[in-house]
Amino acid sequence: MSDTKQIALPITGMTCANCVATVERIIKKVNGVEKAFVNLSSERASVEFNPDFTNIGEVIQRIEKAGYGVATGEVEFLVQGLVDGSDAQRLEKNLLKVDGVRGAYVNLATERARVIYIPTLVSLAEIHKMITDAGFRVAVVGGDLEDAERNARLKEIAQQRHLLITGLVFTLPLFVFSMVRDLGLLPGHIAHAPWMNWLMFALATPVQFYVGWQYYVGAFKALRNRSANMDVLIAMGSSAAYLYSIPITVGLLEGHVYFETGAVIITLIKLGKFLEARAKGQTSESIKKLMGLRPKTARLIRVGQELEIPVDEVQVGDIVIVRPGEKIPVDGVVIEGHSTIDETMLTGESFPVEKKVGDTVVGATINKLGWFKFEASRVGKETTLAQIIRLVEEAQGSKAPIQKLADRVSAVFVPVVICIAVSTFLVWYYWIPLPAVSNVSAFTRALINMVAVLVIACPCAMGLATPTAVMVGTGKGASLGVLIKSGEALERAGRLTTLVFDKTGTITRGQPAITDVIVHGIAGGENELLRLAASAEKGSEHPVGEALVEEAGSRSIQLVDPVGFQAEAGYGIEATIEGRHIIVGSPRMVKDRKLKVDGFQENIEELQRKAKTVAMVAVDGTVQGVLGIADVVKEGAVEAITDLKSMGLRVAIITGDNRLTAKGIARQVGVNQVMAEVLPGGKVNEIKQLQERGEVVGMVGDGINDAPALAQAEVGIAIGTGTDVAISTAPIVLISGDLHGVVRAIRLSRRILRTIKENLFWAFFYNIILIPAAAAGLLNPMLAAGAMAFSSVFVVSNSLRLRSYSG
């Protein structure tokens, strides 16, 4: 049995939430498809299927059979090395075997290959590599090199713009003629001349059947798929006004023509859809910025030569050179030189990070000052930036639980509106008498009110309320160093009541550091004591020794090599430094050696009360100083936890350390609830107990032992500097280790959730208020069409406000 495969397909032709439901239903009917989610805002379908039972082609075929499309890109290659027709056929066949390639045409005479492909399934670099692997030399000579999907969307917007302009060219004079005649500004013999109706018919017909043809096609597709969408409402509403006017124009009936009503309805809605499409294009602006960060070329050394090549051709193990001001092309490890790197795009933090030999660097970050070489470790789709983009795209394609209500309403919305519209016509025609003085017939009045109901209804606003906010919000989160992997995690994070922090490596740095240096009587004071102790520990791999060496380095103390170094497990070390005998050890070691600790006893007891490890330094048999060592709290942890508490969240610490140490850290950061001496398996039980009390729990951790608790919590938040297991388990990842990222994640989630609720309120309020108003005869169809057109624009624009969120 094969593992399931997940793909994203860019869908074209969807107009409203009902289209989303239709495409989802069609995909799910394909044998082997296990999950399918369609996003109206991103216009993408996320499909999970078993390749043993189906393939990508069958899924696409079903989508196209239902009347929708899949966006494609087109690229042309100059292929050298084609000998004869069999080479051309072989290349075509090889190209068509690639998942995502929809068409391949190789011309032997011109030595060109034209490839039509789906950009979410296969990249230009992968097609390029496939051709070169087949034994041909290749160069790109035409096509969309950056974003084929975006190009397809832009073509769609351009087509909408063309139709809108055409609609305006015909509708504006039609509307002016109609208003001038209705207001009595024309002489009677002109106003009532038969040719006037024919003129209006001539102006309305191109709008009805050219500009509005998309709505007829969409309505036909929907009805063929046994559903009803927005296109059905627009086609019915505009056609009713247009068709009613034709018998009057040809003289079969008497009355007033309403050609301008149908034309204005179509043009206004086209204007709204055009503005909506442009606004929707901005919802993915953050992810486009991330994509645009990747440099185009890399400078590297191969066979002793310095070369500049496309970044897609960099391979693992290549030695890459980066000069000041340049972007780092791929992920790797510094092997020569040092510099400071601007990692703002990765972490959201503007402070440059120092890099030296052995440190990792990330592709698309910016080298600020120094020159260095690094060895490429991750390239192509494996780079950190590529994985961030993939995670954000998956999140943008997911559905938040709050959207389920809108989906259920959308499923029955259009049929209910049609029933209300028909009922409106019948009530106005049969049961509500005409006023004594009226210039319209009962039929005309009933028809106008029915049309108003049809065109005021807007399922699009409901369909766009959630996905637009999720798209903008998750993209913004990525730019702030917060990766939210799904709409479900986003919604849950916005409703958290309690946050549980792992202590070691999350609140603390996860490695001991010197916190206190107490000296009595040694010449040179603290620095001299540290110089001797750190020099003695220079060859030690013990955490205490490493902490000493690091502290000496931070004070720029020059160390010397120890002589006769000896370590005694659990006790300490001894060595000779410049002829002086140095001991760095525990109080027990000092006691066993019967060294005097006069004057230090109170200091030792005070450090132990603070849950700090005590190390004593003896020089030539006399204790000269005491060191306090502890796992120090991360910079910014206190402020982050204070902010979380001010947001109304309960904060707790969970750790396997002893209670005294845990409480000491808790006091430092201002946390009252401490769960100490908890084994890895016990962390899950502690989370469960909080949940049983009705708390919505978030778990923040970084280690392998945190993974089960991260999974148990409603929302797991992994520190990005932690292990891959924790990061893969948690639905929210902080790319940096800064705990302010937790604050950003919660605030952003709350802000997105609030935006979604505002959008849904508007969408439901709009329909609940205005559909009855239209049925009551309080809305002119043209005003109704304008309101409907701009309801979706309002929802998208409200979501776009998230772009200004600064965290």
Side-chain angles (χ1 to χ4, degrees):
M1 180 70 72
S2 298
D3 293 332
T4 57
K5 189 172 184 178
Q6 188 168 344
I7 59 169
L9 295 173
I11 308 296
T12 59
M14 295 191 298
T15 57
C16 71
N18 194 272
C19 295
V20 168
T22 300
V23 176
E24 272 188 9
R25 188 177 68 251
I26 288 163
I27 295 173
K28 286 177 180 176
K29 284 182 179 179
V30 178
N31 184 35
V33 170
E34 297 181 2
K35 292 180 184 177
F37 300 104
V38 179
N39 187 305
L40 180 60
S41 181
S42 64
E43 296 179 285
R44 280 191 178 188
S46 179
V47 185
E48 194 173 311
F49 65 94
N50 189 326
D52 285 342
F53 296 100
T54 190
N55 55 55
I56 295 169
E58 189 173 345
V59 175
I60 294 172
Q61 189 177 3
R62 289 289 186 94
I63 293 170
E64 292 177 336
K65 188 176 179 182
Y68 300 93
V70 175
T72 59
E74 186 174 317
V75 65
E76 194 169 299
F77 296 96
L78 178 63
V79 181
Q80 295 175 328
L82 293 169
V83 177
D84 53 27
S86 63
D87 274 355
Q89 289 178 2
R90 177 169 61 88
L91 182 56
E92 275 187 11
K93 286 178 181 178
N94 286 347
L95 285 167
L96 291 170
K97 288 177 183 176
V98 178
D99 280 347
V101 171
R102 304 222 57 202
Y105 311 94
V106 180
N107 189 311
L108 178 63
T110 60
E111 292 189 315
R112 296 200 175 197
R114 184 165 63 91
V115 182
I116 300 168
Y117 65 103
I118 300 170
T120 56
L121 300 184
V122 62
S123 69
L124 193 67
E126 288 170 324
I127 299 172
H128 188 287
K129 186 175 184 300
M130 186 264 129
I131 298 174
T132 54
D133 287 349
F136 303 102
R137 297 183 302 281
V138 61
V140 179
V141 294
D144 181 18
L145 307 188
E146 298 301 321
D147 190 346
E149 184 181 0
R150 179 172 177 267
N151 195 40
R153 304 297 184 203
L154 289 175
K155 286 179 181 176
E156 207 171 322
I157 292 174
Q159 174 68 6
Q160 294 291 333
R161 184 190 296 112
H162 166 72
L163 292 173
L164 172 62
I165 293 171
T166 304
L168 290 170
V169 166
F170 286 96
T171 301
L172 286 175
L174 172 60
F175 182 74
V176 170
F177 286 149
S178 175
M179 290 300 101
V180 168
R181 185 172 72 169
D182 291 347
L183 293 172
L185 300 178
L186 288 175
H189 69 283
I190 294 177
H192 300 293
W195 63 265
M196 192 69 173
N197 286 347
W198 283 104
L199 174 63
M200 296 175 76
F201 168 79
L203 290 170
T205 300
V207 179
Q208 193 71 39
F209 297 109
Y210 177 67
V211 178
W213 184 248
Q214 172 190 350
Y215 301 121
Y216 288 103
V217 173
F220 172 74
K221 290 178 191 173
L223 295 173
R224 188 180 66 182
N225 292 313
R226 297 179 183 178
S227 63
N229 61 5
M230 183 197 78
D231 294 332
V232 173
L233 299 179
I234 298 171
M236 287 179 66
S238 62
S239 297
Y242 178 84
L243 295 175
Y244 169 72
S245 303
I246 289 176
I248 296 173
T249 301
V250 298
L252 297 177
L253 293 175
E254 290 189 5
H256 189 285
V257 294
Y258 289 93
F259 286 119
E260 79 284 358
T261 299
V264 169
I265 287 171
I266 288 174
T267 303
L268 279 176
I269 290 172
K270 186 63 70 177
L271 172 63
K273 297 304 283 185
F274 171 68
L275 294 175
E276 176 193 321
R278 287 185 60 183
K280 274 163 57 180
Q282 297 174 49
T283 60
S284 57
E285 187 174 291
S286 294
I287 199 74
K288 288 173 186 172
K289 283 182 180 178
L290 285 175
M291 289 177 174
L293 290 173
R294 196 176 76 136
K296 304 293 185 296
T297 60
R299 187 181 294 106
L300 48 80
I301 297 173
R302 279 184 183 168
V303 200
Q305 290 187 330
E306 186 174 316
L307 305 171
E308 188 167 323
I309 65 171
V311 73
D312 289 324
E313 295 180 17
V314 178
Q315 298 175 6
V316 173
D318 277 339
I319 305 303
V320 184
I321 302 170
V322 185
R323 296 192 173 105
E326 293 181 342
K327 284 184 179 179
I328 297 169
V330 295
D331 297 2
V333 178
V334 178
I335 60 171
E336 184 181 334
H338 66 276
S339 182
T340 54
I341 307 295
D342 181 355
E343 295 185 341
T344 306
M345 78 89 195
L346 184 69
T347 64
E349 301 295 332
S350 57
F351 196 75
V353 180
E354 190 172 343
K355 299 289 183 180
K356 56 186 182 301
V357 173
D359 289 340
T360 58
V361 290
V362 178
T365 54
I366 301 171
N367 182 29
K368 299 291 286 184
L369 297 174
W371 172 98
F372 65 92
K373 293 179 184 178
F374 72 93
E375 182 179 336
S377 59
R378 292 181 178 179
V379 300
K381 292 182 178 180
E382 300 303 315
T383 62
T384 300
L385 178 63
Q387 291 183 55
I388 289 172
I389 291 170
R390 178 180 59 79
L391 287 172
V392 174
E393 287 179 335
E394 287 177 4
Q396 292 179 340
S398 66
K399 285 191 178 183
I402 198 172
Q403 190 176 343
K404 290 177 182 176
L405 174 62
D407 289 345
R408 285 197 296 268
V409 172
S410 298
V412 298
F413 184 82
V414 175
V416 168
V417 169
I418 292 172
C419 290
I420 294 172
V422 172
S423 301
T424 298
F425 178 86
L426 295 174
V427 169
W428 280 98
Y429 185 70
Y430 288 107
W431 284 288
I432 300 180
L434 280 172
V437 179
S438 176
N439 60 349
V440 296
S441 65
F443 180 87
T444 302
R445 181 187 61 174
L447 181 71
I448 290 172
N449 291 337
M450 181 188 78
V451 170
V453 171
L454 289 171
V455 298
I456 195 65
C458 186
C460 291
M462 289 185 289
L464 290 167
T466 301
T468 51
V470 170
M471 278 194 73
V472 180
T474 50
K476 185 64 180 179
S479 68
L480 294 172
V482 178
L483 285 183
I484 302 173
K485 295 184 183 179
S486 69
E488 184 176 6
L490 185 153
E491 183 176 333
R492 286 180 175 177
R495 291 175 172 161
L496 290 177
T497 60
T498 298
L499 268 179
V500 179
F501 283 84
D502 170 58
K503 181 183 76 69
T504 308
T506 302
I507 288 181
T508 65
R509 290 171 57 189
Q511 58 189 55
I514 305 298
T515 58
D516 302 84
V517 181
I518 302 164
V519 179
H520 286 177
I522 189 170
E526 289 185 8
N527 282 4
E528 177 61 12
L529 184 81
L530 285 170
R531 185 182 78 85
L532 294 172
S535 294
E537 291 274 14
K538 192 176 178 184
S540 172
E541 295 180 356
H542 192 277
V544 171
E546 291 176 351
L548 264 168
V549 172
E550 184 179 343
E551 179 66 19
S554 69
R555 300 189 184 201
S556 300
I557 297 172
Q558 297 294 319
L559 303 183
V560 297
D561 293 329
V563 177
F565 174 86
Q566 290 183 337
E568 192 171 346
Y571 277 76
I573 64 99
E574 54 186 306
T576 300
I577 302 296
E578 297 174 339
R580 304 167 79 179
H581 183 250
I582 308 298
I583 292 176
V584 181
S586 65
R588 186 168 50 173
M589 182 180 185
V590 169
K591 184 179 179 181
D592 288 350
R593 297 291 178 92
K594 296 181 180 180
L595 301 176
K596 293 181 181 180
V597 291
D598 295 344
F600 288 106
Q601 194 59 46
E602 287 186 11
N603 302 122
I604 293 169
E605 290 172 0
E606 176 64 21
L607 291 172
Q608 287 176 335
R609 275 197 298 272
K610 292 180 180 178
K612 295 183 180 181
T613 299
V614 175
M616 308 184 74
V617 182
V619 182
D620 292 330
T622 303
V623 176
Q624 302 280 2
V626 172
L627 306 173
I629 303 164
D631 186 3
V632 295
V633 170
K634 281 183 179 178
E635 186 178 349
V638 176
E639 294 83 356
I641 288 173
T642 301
D643 287 344
L644 290 168
K645 289 164 70 177
S646 71
M647 293 160 61
L649 288 160
R650 296 182 185 88
V651 181
I653 290 177
I654 191 166
T655 179
D657 281 355
N658 68 74
R659 188 166 299 278
L660 193 62
T661 302
K663 284 189 173 180
I665 295 294
R667 279 194 299 273
Q668 289 183 53
V669 298
V671 173
N672 295 324
Q673 186 175 357
V674 178
M675 293 169 272
E677 299 173 16
V678 181
L679 296 174
K683 291 185 179 182
V684 172
N685 293 329
E686 295 288 347
I687 299 292
K688 283 181 179 177
Q689 287 178 23
L690 289 171
Q691 291 169 330
E692 286 166 2
R693 293 179 213 153
E695 300 289 341
V696 183
V697 183
M699 171 72 191
V700 185
D702 75 322
I704 292 174
N705 62 345
D706 296 325
L710 289 168
Q712 174 62 37
E714 271 82 5
V715 178
I717 302 175
I719 303 295
T721 49
T723 65
D724 290 341
V725 175
I727 292 170
S728 63
T729 302
I732 295 180
V733 176
L734 309 180
I735 300 174
S736 75
D738 183 6
L739 291 185
H740 281 292
V742 179
V743 181
R744 288 194 200 103
I746 306 300
R747 281 182 176 161
L748 178 62
S749 298
R750 288 182 174 183
R751 178 72 179 273
I752 296 171
L753 193 58
R754 189 177 74 195
T755 301
I756 290 171
K757 289 177 178 177
E758 289 170 354
N759 289 348
L760 287 173
F761 173 80
W762 164 257
F764 283 109
F765 175 82
Y766 164 88
N767 285 293
I768 289 169
I769 297 299
L770 294 187
I771 290 176
L778 302 176
L779 283 176
N780 178 283
M782 290 183 284
L783 293 176
M788 186 271 200
F790 286 94
S791 62
S792 297
V793 177
F794 173 87
V795 166
V796 178
S797 300
N798 189 45
S799 296
L800 286 174
R801 292 194 304 142
L802 287 166
R803 291 188 303 171
S804 62
Y805 176 79
S806 60

